[in-house]
Amino acid sequence: TSKWVHLNFGDEGLLTLFSRVHACLRPAGCFLLEPQPWSSYRKNAGLSATTLANYTRIAIKPDAFETVLLQQTGFQSCQHLQVL
């Protein structure tokens, strides 16, 4: 979901998503996020003129999501889960 919000609404849309999720969580609530690799964005960027335009302007790459969550949207911790 984060990839599609990001491609359709750019960095501003992604930040809005993160902020709204944070605002909806109860105290000590969890937000489970599976960021897609940047290569996945590249594969889907050309689906429309909007996604292509946003793809070229994206400054917040998936590798930076943790930093954004902790420094810009109010989350207090991040934990990486291992998929078995």
Side-chain angles (χ1 to χ4, degrees):
T1 300
S2 62
K3 175 177 75 176
W4 296 112
V5 169
H6 212 180
L7 283 173
N8 282 289
F9 302 101
D11 288 339
E12 184 177 323
L14 183 74
L15 292 172
T16 299
L17 170 68
F18 290 166
S19 294
R20 287 183 180 175
V21 168
H22 183 265
C24 289
L25 286 173
R26 294 180 181 190
C30 288
F31 173 39
L32 184 63
L33 175 68
E34 182 183 5
Q36 300 302 303
W38 185 243
S39 60
S40 175
Y41 280 65
R42 200 173 321 118
K43 290 177 187 174
N44 293 283
L47 291 177
S48 73
T50 299
T51 57
L52 185 58
N54 285 331
Y55 172 78
T56 62
R57 290 190 296 261
I58 288 174
I60 304 170
K61 303 292 194 294
D63 291 343
F65 286 4
E66 182 176 344
T67 301
V68 169
L69 288 166
L70 294 172
Q71 294 180 2
Q72 295 183 35
T73 55
F75 286 88
Q76 296 188 7
S77 66
C78 284
Q79 181 180 3
H80 295 264
L81 304 176
Q82 192 69 17
V83 178
L84 302 176

